[in-house]
Amino acid sequence: MTRFTTRILAVAAALLLAPAPLAAQPVRPEARQDARQESRHETRQPEGRRLPADATTQHSLTLSDGRTVSFTAVAGSLPLVDEAGKLQAEIAFTAFTLPDREARTRPVTFAVNGGPGAASAYLNLVAVGPWRLPFEGTSISPSAAPVTVPNDETWLDFTDLVFIDPVGTGYSRAAGEDAKRYYGVESDAAILSAAIARWLRTNDRLTSPKFFLGESYGGFRGPLIARKLQDDVGVGLSGLVLLSPVLDFGSLQSPRHNPLGAVTRLPSLAAAGLERRGETPDPARMQAAETYATGPYLADLLRGPADNAAIDRMTERVAALTGLDPALVRRQAGRVSGASYQRDADRESRRVASAYDTGITGWDPDPSAAQGRFADPILTAMLAPLTSAAIDLTARTLNWRVPNLRYELLNNAVNLGWNWGGGRSAPEVVSDLRQILSLDGDLRVLVAHGYTDLVTPYFASKLILDQMPSYGSGDRLSLSVYPGGHMFYFRKGSRAALRGDALRLYETALAARRRGGEGR
């Protein structure tokens, strides 16, 4: 353990042990919530804070099926301090809670995006929050109006939601100039765990069932945060939902000479081929591609590119699955890269596909160039509308204005400065996932992917999860795959299917909690 990691854990412990900012004397029951909110702004707050006081607003939304959701929104920040009370960082958050007298037993979900370097606006404003920025169709325009609509698939009716921005994202900032000390696997997980604990204590929610929702690298964070909450802070999670996660960077970033990368990528390329033919990927349609990938395809890959007969077999089958030109497949010895698919699948139309979802495309800026250099039609195209929508939601709808800080939706400085650790092995959280599932017989985990995601292919997670023991009930660790890509929740059907799967996970986790430990 490094000296800095030790310091971070000390900060987390200090946050847990520090007095909670509660009202100094009894208050009337109807005024208790107001007193709690006011107490957050007492003079005991650490010096040096740059973010404004928290803002609380009330809202009511009518959804398309006639449901009405009334809720309280709090936009603000959590000050993290060291043992001496000195400010270390301010973690911005947005919380949506129902006005429920049973709030202390109502589930609460903490949502974090990935990157590293991404704010939580993706999950908040496109996936599960009460408002949604529509991204419809097969292309995204940066100049699209950043106007949100009520989200029919919000999770707010079955769990309170707290969206957290790690240091360097959104409006979250480190105190002082040394923000990079928080840009690392261990320190990041420790600080986020401390922030979750702080929110729970400040809002009297330690007795609530607690869940974690993470996307991409946020999914990688999930098992790490669950262990740190258990071991270092004293908080247990009832469930994790991991969207398009990286569970093992070793399996995700295999070099070209390692056949595993081609094996895990092929089913996603085959799903892209299905969509280009007008078909929708589903388990039945994908079965043939998955069986081929782990059978004859892997066997031919192991024979190597010098085996012409193996290349012939792979060329025929891979071209048929993906819809790519057989000559292209042959040139790559059957090992089709995601980047080549992006540019060559629709070269005749001079369109390029997103690595995050091959169903979303844009124009090739230089179609005659030998090598393609183009901005991603999803990741780059959505930066402007989603940033504007996030700022507008925070400032105008939630009345939390931060005039002197830049809002960082996707901070490349965080990503490029990330400390991945100094070990010989690539970072992975499979071992952490094993530990939390084996220790807590009530814990449930859902891993969810999109079929046409070339960034974190679903088959990589499937192969990993297939190697996990059952840990009792077979539904404690499950995989769901939906039409769409990395942000499969762009698609209404997939967004609704995710909501249904998540709701079932919450129901089974809460039932296990009520039974008091069945399966231990």
Side-chain angles (χ1 to χ4, degrees):
M1 182 178 292
T2 65
R3 290 177 61 189
F4 178 66
T5 301
T6 303
R7 181 182 177 190
I8 292 295
L9 296 179
V11 171
L15 288 169
L16 184 64
L17 297 173
L22 300 177
Q25 54 186 333
V27 295
R28 300 186 311 277
E30 62 270 20
R32 188 170 291 122
Q33 182 65 29
D34 290 340
R36 288 198 191 108
Q37 295 299 334
E38 291 171 2
S39 70
R40 298 172 72 127
H41 314 307
E42 293 177 350
T43 57
R44 288 181 288 173
Q45 295 284 8
E47 296 181 358
R49 297 193 66 180
R50 292 188 289 173
L51 294 177
D54 298 357
T56 302
T57 51
Q58 305 296 328
H59 305 271
S60 182
L61 294 177
T62 300
L63 306 181
S64 63
D65 62 0
R67 286 180 297 146
T68 298
V69 181
S70 299
F71 56 94
T72 299
V74 178
S77 63
L78 299 162
L80 304 186
V81 300
D82 62 15
E83 291 175 306
K86 182 178 179 181
L87 183 67
Q88 301 296 301
E90 294 178 272
I91 304 299
F93 73 93
T94 304
F96 302 109
T97 59
L98 293 193
D100 190 343
R101 293 181 180 179
E102 304 299 324
R104 296 183 66 188
T105 59
R106 174 173 162 78
V108 56
T109 299
F110 297 92
V112 179
N113 266 95
S120 60
Y122 299 87
L123 288 172
N124 185 357
L125 281 171
V126 194
V128 305
W131 291 280
R132 181 176 64 85
L133 183 63
F135 287 112
E136 310 291 352
T138 59
S139 65
I140 295 174
S141 171
S143 61
V147 178
T148 60
V149 298
N151 183 10
D152 289 339
E153 291 76 41
T154 184
W155 294 11
L156 189 53
D157 52 350
F158 64 85
T159 177
D160 291 338
L161 296 166
V162 182
F163 298 93
I164 298 177
D165 294 332
V167 173
T169 73
Y171 291 122
S172 295
R173 296 293 188 272
E177 302 298 326
D178 189 18
K180 286 187 177 181
R181 58 184 173 161
Y182 299 108
Y183 301 168
V185 173
E186 291 294 328
S187 58
D188 167 79
I191 283 295
L192 289 173
S193 300
I196 290 170
R198 176 93 184 202
W199 190 93
L200 289 168
R201 283 175 48 78
T202 301
N203 292 276
D204 288 341
R205 297 296 296 272
L206 283 167
T207 61
S208 297
K210 294 162 282 288
F211 294 80
F212 178 86
L213 170 63
E215 180 184 2
S216 196
Y217 185 80
F220 180 87
R221 286 172 163 132
L224 287 172
I225 288 175
R227 289 200 69 185
K228 288 189 181 298
L229 284 172
Q230 285 178 2
D231 301 343
D232 302 333
V233 183
V235 169
L237 296 179
S238 293
L240 290 84
V241 180
L242 312 179
L243 309 186
S244 307
V246 183
L247 299 176
D248 182 352
F249 278 91
S251 66
L252 183 68
Q253 298 173 343
S254 299
R256 185 169 169 77
H257 61 263
N258 184 338
L260 184 60
V263 169
T264 57
R265 187 166 53 248
L266 182 62
S268 290
L269 295 174
L274 278 174
E275 287 201 340
R276 282 183 53 76
R277 295 193 293 271
E279 301 180 59
T280 301
D282 59 30
R285 290 188 175 96
M286 294 306 301
Q287 183 61 51
E290 294 177 9
T291 301
Y292 171 66
T294 54
Y297 184 56
L298 176 58
D300 280 338
L301 288 171
L302 291 173
R303 290 184 171 89
D307 189 319
N308 291 328
I311 298 301
D312 289 342
R313 289 191 294 269
M314 287 189 292
T315 295
E316 180 181 2
R317 190 67 185 276
V318 171
L321 286 170
T322 63
L324 290 170
D325 184 347
L328 171 68
V329 177
R330 181 177 295 279
R331 282 197 304 272
Q332 297 190 34
R335 299 158 170 80
V336 177
S337 71
S340 66
Y341 184 91
Q342 287 181 259
R343 196 172 190 226
D344 287 293
D346 201 14
R347 183 181 281 271
E348 290 185 1
S349 299
R350 301 185 175 185
R351 304 282 291 184
V352 291
S354 171
Y356 291 84
D357 185 347
T358 58
I360 306 295
T361 66
W363 294 108
D364 190 335
D366 193 357
S368 62
Q371 294 183 340
R373 290 184 175 86
F374 52 88
D376 190 89
I378 287 181
L379 192 67
T380 306
M382 71 186 298
L383 275 173
L386 186 54
T387 297
S388 294
I391 296 172
D392 183 69
L393 172 76
T394 303
R396 184 176 59 84
T397 306
L398 305 185
N399 199 32
W400 195 59
R401 300 178 182 275
V402 187
N404 298 322
L405 286 180
R406 171 189 171 93
Y407 180 84
E408 298 283 0
L409 178 66
L410 190 60
N411 191 338
N412 287 329
V414 174
N415 190 285
L416 295 174
W418 202 254
N419 180 3
W420 295 97
R424 291 172 179 252
S425 300
E428 55 87 15
V429 291
V430 180
S431 56
D432 298 276
L433 188 58
R434 289 176 180 269
Q435 289 293 334
I436 61 175
L437 283 166
S438 61
L439 185 64
D440 188 345
D442 294 339
L443 180 72
R444 263 63 178 175
V445 179
L446 169 65
V447 178
H449 280 272
Y451 281 112
T452 50
D453 177 9
L454 302 183
V455 177
T456 58
Y458 81 92
F459 205 52
S461 288
K462 184 177 189 305
L463 294 180
I464 290 172
L465 298 184
D466 284 346
Q467 302 305 310
M468 301 285 282
S470 65
Y471 299 114
S473 172
D475 66 350
R476 292 192 54 222
L477 174 62
S478 59
L479 172 68
S480 293
V481 189
Y482 314 104
H486 199 72
M487 297 88 156
F488 54 81
Y489 46 75
F490 281 5
R491 309 190 188 192
K492 182 175 177 60
S494 297
R495 197 165 58 247
L498 169 65
R499 184 187 184 282
D501 288 341
L503 177 58
R504 282 186 286 274
L505 177 140
Y506 279 61
E507 289 173 342
T508 56
L510 295 176
R513 176 186 168 100
R514 288 191 294 269
R515 288 194 298 268
E518 179 180 325
R520 290 178 181 171

